[in-house]
Amino acid sequence: MQQWKKRGDYRSVAEAVQGMSGLTLEELRSPAHVEPETIENLAACGEALKQWAIQDGLPVVIVGDYDADGITSTAILVKLLRHFGVTPQTIIPRRFTDGYGINETLIEGISDSLIITVDNGIAAVEPILAAKEAGNKIIVLDHHLPQETLPPADIIVDPHIHPEKNGYEDYCGAGLAYKLAEYLCAGQTAQEKKSLFFDLLVLACLGTLADVMPLTGDNRYLVTQGLRIINHDGWYPQLSSGLRAVLNLAQRPYDEDTIKFQIAPILNAAGRLYNAGSTSVLKALLSQDEAQAAGFAAKMQQINERRKTLVTQCLEQAQVAASYRADDPILIICCEGIPEGIIGILAGKLSEAYQKPAFVFSPIASLSGILKGSGRSYGDYDLFPLLQVVAPYVETAGGHTGAAGISVAQESYEEMAAAIQAYAVEHPPAEPDDSLYYDLELREEELSLALNELKALAPYGPGVEKPVLMVRDYQLLPKGYHSHRLMGRSNEHIKLFGTQSDAVGFHLSQTYQELGSPECVDLLGTVGENRFQGRTTLQFQFEAIRPSGRDT
């Protein structure tokens, strides 16, 4: 059985959150707002936009991306420009035929215009050169890591080029688009920009959480304010029809987990399964018609349910393939018939299961002889150097520290995989650690107080992790004739009935039964609330369970 180990010497939730994040209570509760002028080139970007788009009337073309950050950042720029009387054209790349970011085909025929790339562009040297040669002005608004050669754009805003020159550097595309809006609207009264900025803050919040950005500094400010708006009874109705229709797919009150695990997958699903699906998601967010927006949202939800089914089916196939490569330092598999849009999800699930970086490849029907692959890191292993390692063997490669996308000819796949494994031998990932760690030990009667402390210091995410709690001697109490209940289509989940709370373990019903269904247990997880049929109850979600009385 896995060892349970305590890390740190924390005596309260607040102490644990501060110690793990390195932030003060003030920084957690009242994060500082960063002025847009402190972001390198952002003021120049704002002034250029005023001149070229608003005063000179240049046609504006926004090139976004097909993920939730790319869509929300595009929506922010559209709403911002419309606020100043400019109606931009939008281009969201088609995932399967265009691939990520701006390319020459996407902008073919566009001339004498202002092209703004958002959430992409920092690596697009050739396409931007071609756009410049066609007489266009180019603004790049991106947060991805720059490569050695920067594109020949007129203005580039990317805090990662010179991090030391920025008041804050960890924005996503939607965060940068929002800061541009702050700069452009700085001279307007609160009343002039009130309804606009409700929408923009919420979109920035969605993009930041969906792109799993650090919840520190100005990101923390944006997310906190966005959550405040959507949970405010008077402000929520002032949001646009499109935003409300999408948010209505989840239950209020909303927190960071609602956005990350319910709303963000819905925003991403259409673009994962359909070539131009993300364009429809953008239309939904920009819709001003209640009925139209509700129809868009309902369709998005249906697509997300189909995406879930596909992931479940394909994961079984991927797990079989992975079992034959389990000893490799980096897990690399290739499976037939996996939809291109979900290979990244599968790579993430395999990396968690095997505690190592993982790549999943699959043949692409629309591109004969080409394999598309997606990689996900594990822990703090950096995938970015691998892009140079695979460059001699692949058609395309891009990404950052935590994720990578690769296209490779089938005949080059084995050479590419061998190059990755050779790199991993020289730069090995950390050995898997079978120990389970927790930060604070509590009794069940202390969970309510712990939940209040957690709420006061939310939101949680990268940079501000939620402490792992260990509940010792959780005593089951029969409700009716049973002290626990199996849940799920295959009874794979379990709910335990305690004296003051319930405890839920997903995919842990078999584990509990194999332990002999003990009536007193120790649990590892986190505390939250369960809302059902108008009732809110205290609920502990556990990731591990053992009979109580075992030595830690």
Side-chain angles (χ1 to χ4, degrees), residues 7 20 437-441 466-470 524-526:
R7 56 190 172 194
M20 294 161 62
Y437 293 91
Y438 63 95
D439 305 295
L440 197 63
E441 181 180 327
K466 189 178 288 187
V468 178
L469 307 178
M470 195 266 267
L524 281 192
T526 188

Side-chain angles (χ1 to χ4, degrees), residues 503-552:
V504 172
F506 294 104
H507 302 285
L508 287 172
S509 64
Q510 183 178 346
T511 300
Y512 177 68
Q513 292 172 79
E514 287 173 353
L515 292 173
S517 303
E519 294 294 304
C520 190
V521 293
D522 297 337
L523 305 171
L524 281 192
T526 188
V527 65
E529 292 174 325
N530 180 44
R531 299 181 184 91
F532 183 68
Q533 295 182 343
R535 292 182 64 241
T536 300
T537 55
L538 190 65
Q539 180 171 282
F540 191 82
Q541 183 173 324
F542 61 94
E543 309 294 332
I545 181 172
R546 69 182 186 189
S548 64
R550 292 184 60 89
D551 194 337
T552 59

Side-chain angles (χ1 to χ4, degrees), residues 300-429:
M300 289 161 59
Q301 190 171 40
Q302 290 173 5
I303 292 170
N304 189 49
E305 291 303 314
R306 179 165 178 263
R307 190 269 311 166
K308 289 181 188 176
T309 301
L310 281 172
V311 168
T312 300
Q313 294 170 347
C314 293
L315 183 59
E316 293 179 11
Q317 179 186 358
Q319 286 170 331
V320 171
S323 66
Y324 295 103
R325 313 294 310 187
D327 293 333
D328 292 347
I330 291 181
L331 186 63
I332 307 173
I333 64 167
C334 183
C335 298
E336 297 274 349
I338 295 180
E340 182 181 340
I342 66 170
I343 54 178
I345 297 175
L346 299 182
K349 289 183 178 296
L350 291 179
S351 74
E352 290 295 325
Y354 285 87
Q355 297 184 46
K356 65 175 68 177
F359 285 82
V360 176
F361 287 83
S362 186
I364 302 304
S366 59
L367 296 171
S368 179
I370 296 295
L371 304 174
K372 281 284 185 77
S374 189
R376 293 294 183 270
S377 184
Y378 185 80
D380 57 2
Y381 194 80
D382 189 355
L383 296 185
F384 193 66
L386 282 177
L387 303 181
Q388 294 301 317
V389 171
V390 303
Y393 313 101
V394 303
E395 306 297 308
T396 62
H400 49 80
T401 298
I406 296 172
S407 299
V408 60
Q410 285 182 328
E411 60 267 23
S412 301
Y413 171 77
E414 294 296 341
E415 284 185 288
M416 176 212 67
I420 291 176
Q421 301 297 6
Y423 176 86
V425 170
E426 296 293 324
H427 306 86

Side-chain angles (χ1 to χ4, degrees), residues 178 196-206 222 225-226 229:
Y178 179 81
L196 169 70
F197 269 74
F198 278 169
D199 273 13
L200 301 195
L201 256 175
V202 172
L203 287 166
C205 170
L206 296 182
L222 295 178
Q225 295 304 312
I229 290 167

Side-chain angles (χ1 to χ4, degrees), residues 64-246:
D65 186 30
Y66 43 66
D67 71 354
D69 182 27
I71 298 166
T72 52
S73 55
T74 301
I76 289 171
L77 292 184
V78 171
K79 288 175 177 285
L80 173 64
L81 288 164
R82 286 178 179 173
H83 182 69
F84 286 99
V86 177
T87 303
Q89 175 190 347
T90 57
I91 297 175
I92 300 292
R94 293 166 294 187
R95 181 187 285 265
F96 309 135
T97 54
D98 294 325
Y100 167 74
I102 188 171
N103 61 58
E104 293 184 38
T105 304
L106 275 180
I107 56 174
E108 190 174 6
I110 298 174
S111 61
D112 303 316
S113 300
L114 169 58
I115 298 175
I116 307 172
T117 73
V118 62
D119 194 33
N120 74 93
I122 197 63
V125 177
E126 295 300 324
I128 288 176
L129 178 60
K132 287 292 295 176
E133 290 173 346
N136 296 296
K137 303 285 189 183
I138 312 289
I139 292 175
V140 170
L141 203 63
D142 200 0
H143 71 106
H144 293 94
L145 296 175
Q147 298 183 4
E148 286 186 19
T149 303
L150 295 176
D154 294 274
I155 298 171
I156 300 175
V157 179
D158 187 334
H160 293 295
I161 297 174
H162 301 114
E164 72 283 358
K165 294 183 180 180
N166 291 267
Y168 186 73
E169 65 181 272
D170 287 324
Y171 299 103
C172 63
L176 288 173
Y178 179 81
K179 302 309 287 188
L180 178 60
E182 277 191 333
Y183 180 85
L184 281 173
C185 297
Q188 296 186 338
T189 66
Q191 199 58 39
E192 285 177 310
K193 58 187 179 183
K194 181 180 178 182
S195 59
L196 169 70
F197 269 74
F198 278 169
D199 273 13
L200 301 195
L201 256 175
V202 172
L203 287 166
C205 170
L206 296 182
T208 301
L209 289 171
D211 227 37
V212 200
M213 304 308 293
L215 292 189
T216 57
D218 208 17
N219 277 351
R220 190 169 188 81
Y221 173 84
L222 295 178
V223 168
T224 301
Q225 295 304 312
L227 291 174
R228 186 177 168 216
I229 290 167
I230 60 179
N231 285 309
H232 192 289
D233 290 338
W235 294 343
Y236 185 78
Q238 297 180 50
L239 293 174
S240 65
S241 301
L243 260 177
R244 280 187 285 108
V246 172

